[in-house]
Amino acid sequence: MAGAVVNDLPPAAEGRQGRPLIVTEDVELLDDLLRLCAAAGARPEVHHGVPQGRGSWEAAPLVLVGDDAVRRVRGAVRRRGVVLVGRDQDDSGVWRRAVEIGADHVLMLPDGEQWLVDRIADVAEGVGRPALTVGVIGGRGGAGASTLACALAVTSARQGRRTLLVDADPLGGGLDVLLGGEAAEGLRWPAFAASRGRVGGGALEESLPELHSLRVLSWDRGDAVAIPPQAVRAVLAAGRRRGGAVVVDLPRRIDEGVAEALAQVDVGLLVVPAELRAIAASARVASAFGMVLRDLRVTVRGPYAPGLDDSEVARLLGLPLVGEVPVETGLLDGGAPPGGAARGQLARFCTGFWDRALAGGEVV
């Protein structure tokens, strides 16, 4: 198993979870900011100037300063997370005033409303580093990608990591079935078809079925429902904001929805059976996905055709080798999911992957 996973996305918010601070005497601006805080699920603290006493100004995860209040906060302690909010798009002096108070951003309403809602929601949820997101793709049908995706998620959850398993293939039969939880209570993909904008990470997590200490977003048993690309984007972004690990079981085709999922995947694992026809099929899949994924690697499943080993399969595909995926028999016997046997070969493979992908609990 070679290489570490590189996740170069910065934390969405460096402040601690808490109440945003609003500083303004402009009644109309205050109404707008309170409305945006409500939309983001946050209850702000409101002052006309720098709060008296120690702590409030420095400790707030986000400070929204109305353009009318610049004079009153000019002498405050400099800190990160200050946003100067105004309305006059033609006021060039706003940038000078932002420098005077050490603001990180200048925001004009109403144009910047969605950006501000997202930022407020980040601090309300206590967002830190986004989840390491792993996409699993079968090189051909029946390669075992869904089994590996489940095993990676089960192993991650067993290690105590917040874990979300996403079934991105509506024709795959449902990962909740593979985990033995098709009757588990919780929402499935069709419930999110109308999602737009931002989905709350905490609300998403609480709404999904919990199986084997992880959350699962799968499909129901009804008719196929098309999930719009913007809904895929919003749901996956919400899952990633909670940190930990997200594992996505991907189909072998790329449409607009899959492209949105791939845009949020840090590393892709291509599962390739070690026989020549599978390698030929996998080469076509790798060519398509490699144009979207910046980090695509190969995992190999035996038994091996004559003259092949895992290194040769990786060489033929021109991809970095993660290793050989062990075949696990007797899945769900006694309720055990893929990777459920902690001392089994598949679980050990997945543990090795996470250990190399995550160093000391941080993405490297």
Side-chain angles (χ1 to χ4, degrees), residues 151-168:
L152 285 168
V154 167
T155 304
S156 173
R158 187 168 53 240
Q159 293 177 323
R161 197 174 297 116
R162 176 185 284 114
T163 304
L164 171 64
L165 175 62
V166 178
D167 187 350

Side-chain angles (χ1 to χ4, degrees), residues 99-110:
V99 172
E100 290 176 0
I101 65 172
D104 297 329
H105 299 277
V106 173
L107 184 77
M108 291 297 171
L109 297 180

Side-chain angles (χ1 to χ4, degrees), residues 179-193:
L179 291 172
E182 59 269 27
E185 294 185 359
L187 299 182
R188 269 66 173 179
W189 264 118
F192 299 98

Side-chain angles (χ1 to χ4, degrees), residues 39-119:
R43 297 178 59 189
E45 182 179 347
V46 180
H47 290 270
H48 297 317
V50 178
Q52 297 298 315
R54 296 180 57 84
S56 294
W57 173 269
E58 294 90 346
L62 183 67
V63 179
L64 308 178
V65 178
D67 198 23
D68 65 291
V70 168
R71 178 178 54 83
R72 296 190 295 277
V73 304
R74 191 172 287 144
V77 174
R78 294 298 177 99
R79 50 153 294 166
R80 298 190 64 182
V82 176
V83 180
L84 180 59
V85 186
R87 295 180 182 279
D88 187 354
Q89 303 280 354
D90 298 323
D91 181 7
S92 59
V94 70
W95 300 101
R96 173 181 52 79
R97 296 191 292 275
V99 172
E100 290 176 0
I101 65 172
D104 297 329
H105 299 277
V106 173
L107 184 77
M108 291 297 171
L109 297 180
D111 292 355
E113 285 193 357
Q114 186 57 58
W115 181 92
L116 188 54
V117 169
D118 288 348
R119 187 70 180 269

Side-chain angles (χ1 to χ4, degrees), residues 223-284:
D223 294 337
V225 175
I227 308 299
Q230 55 267 38
V232 175
R233 181 193 317 127
V235 170
L236 281 181
R240 298 191 75 220
R241 282 196 303 271
R242 298 289 288 173
V246 174
V247 181
V248 186
D249 184 22
L250 293 160
R252 296 174 58 237
R253 68 188 186 285
I254 298 180
D255 56 22
E256 291 184 348
V258 174
E260 289 292 349
L262 289 172
Q264 301 189 55
V265 168
D266 297 307
V267 60
L269 301 181
L270 182 65
V271 184
V272 182
E275 49 96 6
L276 292 178
R277 289 188 63 193
I279 294 171
S282 298
R284 291 191 290 271

